[in-house]
Amino acid sequence: MPTPAAHPLPAPAKNWPDSLAQLARLAADTSFHAAPPEVAERLVELVVDTLAVTSWGSRRPELLALRDVVTRDGAHGLATVFGDVVPRPSSMSCTLNGSAAAADQLQDGHRMARGHPAAHVVLPVLALAEEVDATTEQFLSAVLSGYELGARIGLAMHGTPPGVHDIGTWGSIAAAAGTARLLAPHDADAMRRAIELAASAALLTDATTIFTGHTGGHAYLGASVAHGLWLGQAAVAGLEAAPGALERFFAVHAAHEWRGMPDVVDSDEGGWPSYEVLQGYIKLHPACAHLHGVLDALDDAVALLDEQGTVQPLAPRVQRVEVRTYAAAATFVASARNELQARFSIPAVVALVLAHGGLTDAALTDVALRSPAIRDLAARVDVVVDAELDSGYPHGRPTTVTLLLDDGSSVTSTSLRPRGDADADASRIAIQDKAARLLTAAFGPRADELVDVIAQWPSRHTPRELGAAFRVAAGAPRGARR
């Protein structure tokens, strides 16, 4: 592994909080090899899911146009841009990949920390790992480090100020921490500098741009991961912010209600006493996470009708749909003029599922949303805040859906926590099928070999070899490195 250039480094900051010092030391020493088996397994799932989601997002027309602009100078490097056959510099790679990761609203998340840790950490750390030819163990240790550190900062924030989206806040700190762990393993002071430097330069992104389905929101995650990569490298080189930036600056400007960093001590076996990676979620629906309880409850209600032998097609028979949910979810009621806006609209996704049997790629089109039948069905969806359900968030995303049919009958189903969430009932097969489906959709016949490579990973294939497999799937000749 490369080390920072040999030059005098500034003296460590004094009197920074003991809790942050302990977090920095734990993050610097995080080891994938030493993690419990269930943690290692979940982390690998999150990495694979992030790579598959990013690959699928990269094919969007607006992101192909973005790639054309960003790569116009033909810059070559060693890091993979998903969907591109040419390896690029790490900064370019994670900017483009980050922009693709959230574009279809399929990226991971952490409900209690209210953000997307894997999407923020996997992409910059992979790009850097390809550049320095890190081992898989080094790569995964850095991803786990950034995830655990970042999620704890997210928990301390209790959300963001009104109108501010989480992207660019603690996610950038997580990316900087992962970068520091990769380049300066076991260096607690470098980790401390990465945390404080990233905290001193938070990006405050506009929630309205994202929640109203504007394409500019794609660029936020790309900017955030590149920002974290840059600041993490700067911290490893010795640059640092004024002491106390996390509590003095970040907590004031980026947090909704700062509750302070938790006191963390080593577990008996060494390492983190608990792992936030086990509390994260993997999305099974291409929509904002606040809509997932709605979609699960709706799927279950439709399944109950199928069991009862209800005559299909179902959509013409639905007179009204009542969605009872928590307050944060109930704000997503705007009409949708395009497929991106639909991913943030409860009436739109309900109408599409009822008409098309699911929130499929065929359903999520601008043409489908312009259909009079879909518009009429969406107008029959009522969204109500339920005080009892509201008390169940953020510990869950509780939602009840009732379908009222033309014969006077009805069916009701409730989802307390979406499938794919920490302790919900999504099977490993469903998660694996999601990745295989997205990779096949992104790369066509070339995906078969890539899926085989991923099935052998992480026991085989370094990060550089893994990136090369994605470029081959995109059309690069086998064995091409540059």
Side-chain angles (χ1 to χ4, degrees):
M1 292 288 295
T3 57
H7 56 76
L9 299 181
K14 304 299 183 184
N15 301 321
W16 44 298
D18 289 343
S19 58
L20 181 56
Q22 183 71 348
L23 282 169
R25 191 182 67 75
L26 286 169
D29 290 340
T30 297
S31 167
F32 174 77
H33 178 73
E38 65 272 20
V39 171
E41 187 173 38
R42 184 62 166 181
L43 187 72
V44 169
E45 283 182 340
L46 284 163
V47 171
V48 171
D49 182 75
T50 300
L51 302 185
V53 167
T54 304
S55 297
W56 174 235
S58 70
R59 99 288 173 215
R60 293 182 67 95
E62 66 269 27
L63 294 179
L64 292 173
L66 177 62
R67 190 173 77 197
D68 288 344
V69 171
V70 173
T71 62
R72 64 190 180 279
D73 62 355
H76 282 49
L78 292 168
T80 299
V81 172
F82 295 99
D84 193 358
V85 299
V86 179
R88 305 291 184 180
S90 59
S91 57
M92 183 183 294
S93 165
C94 62
T95 301
L96 290 169
N97 290 338
S99 299
D104 292 292
Q105 287 300 304
L106 276 166
Q107 78 278 28
D108 82 293
H110 190 293
R111 180 172 24 80
M112 296 299 291
R114 308 186 196 202
H116 308 282
H120 276 87
V121 180
V122 170
L123 300 173
V125 173
L126 176 61
L128 190 60
E130 288 184 86
E131 279 195 339
V132 303
D133 201 15
T135 67
T136 299
E137 162 69 20
Q138 291 166 332
F139 164 62
L140 289 171
S141 293
V143 171
L144 183 58
S145 172
Y147 191 110
E148 293 299 318
L149 186 284
R152 283 169 170 81
I153 294 176
L155 289 166
M157 293 169 62
H158 196 57
T160 52
V164 176
H165 197 271
D166 60 87
I167 288 176
T169 57
W170 64 265
S172 290
I173 301 177
T179 298
R181 175 61 182 84
L182 187 72
L183 292 181
H186 311 296
D187 186 339
D189 201 52
M191 182 63 70
R192 185 268 307 170
R193 289 195 300 272
I195 296 167
E196 294 273 70
L197 190 58
S200 74
L203 301 178
L204 300 183
T205 52
D206 176 26
T208 299
T209 293
I210 293 178
F211 291 153
T212 55
H214 286 79
T215 54
H218 302 338
Y220 293 169
L221 185 55
S224 180
V225 297
H227 192 57
L229 174 75
W230 169 244
L231 294 174
Q233 292 177 109
V236 169
L239 282 68
E240 65 179 310
L246 182 64
E247 301 260 2
R248 171 179 50 76
F249 179 81
F250 183 85
V252 173
H253 298 288
H256 173 66
E257 180 186 334
W258 184 255
R259 298 184 175 183
M261 296 304 298
D263 290 325
V264 180
V265 297
D266 290 344
S267 67
D268 293 339
E269 298 79 20
W272 298 95
S274 61
Y275 285 85
E276 289 302 322
V277 72
L278 297 178
Q279 303 305 315
Y281 62 79
I282 291 176
K283 286 185 177 181
L284 299 180
H285 302 289
C288 173
H290 285 302
L291 277 60
H292 281 222
V294 178
L295 289 162
D296 279 352
L298 179 60
D299 285 349
D300 290 343
V302 171
L304 285 172
L305 289 174
D306 286 343
E307 291 175 5
Q308 297 168 9
T310 300
V311 176
Q312 298 290 345
L314 181 61
R317 298 199 54 206
V318 175
Q319 297 299 296
R320 303 294 304 176
V321 180
E322 182 183 72
V323 176
R324 304 188 70 84
T325 189
Y326 56 98
T331 61
F332 292 89
V333 293
S335 59
R337 298 184 302 277
N338 59 53
E339 54 84 20
L340 188 55
Q341 292 176 349
R343 299 170 199 267
F344 299 92
S345 168
I346 291 175
V349 297
V350 169
L352 291 171
V353 168
L354 291 174
H356 292 268
L359 206 58
T360 62
D361 300 331
L364 273 167
T365 67
D366 294 355
V367 172
L369 287 161
R370 288 195 293 267
S371 162
I374 293 296
R375 290 180 178 274
D376 176 66
L377 190 51
R380 284 181 264 151
V381 178
D382 299 317
V383 181
V384 179
V385 176
D386 185 302
E388 183 176 349
L389 296 178
D390 191 43
S391 67
Y393 176 78
H395 296 284
R397 299 190 192 274
T399 304
T400 295
V401 172
T402 299
L403 302 180
L404 305 172
L405 304 185
D406 55 3
D407 62 1
S409 65
S410 66
V411 63
T412 298
S413 183
T414 297
S415 170
L416 297 178
R417 186 167 293 176
R419 290 185 276 273
D421 210 326
D423 59 357
D425 57 356
S427 69
R428 285 226 140 70
I429 293 176
I431 292 170
Q432 292 166 356
D433 284 351
K434 172 193 171 184
R437 175 175 57 81
L438 293 178
L439 291 172
T440 299
F443 298 116
R446 287 178 173 266
D448 292 344
E449 185 175 337
L450 177 59
V451 170
D452 289 341
V453 167
I454 289 174
Q456 299 169 37
W457 188 81
S459 60
R460 293 182 59 189
H461 307 295
T462 66
R464 186 172 283 183
E465 291 167 345
L466 186 62
F470 275 88
R471 296 197 302 277
V472 168
R478 285 176 178 78
R481 293 290 186 188
R482 291 174 169 78

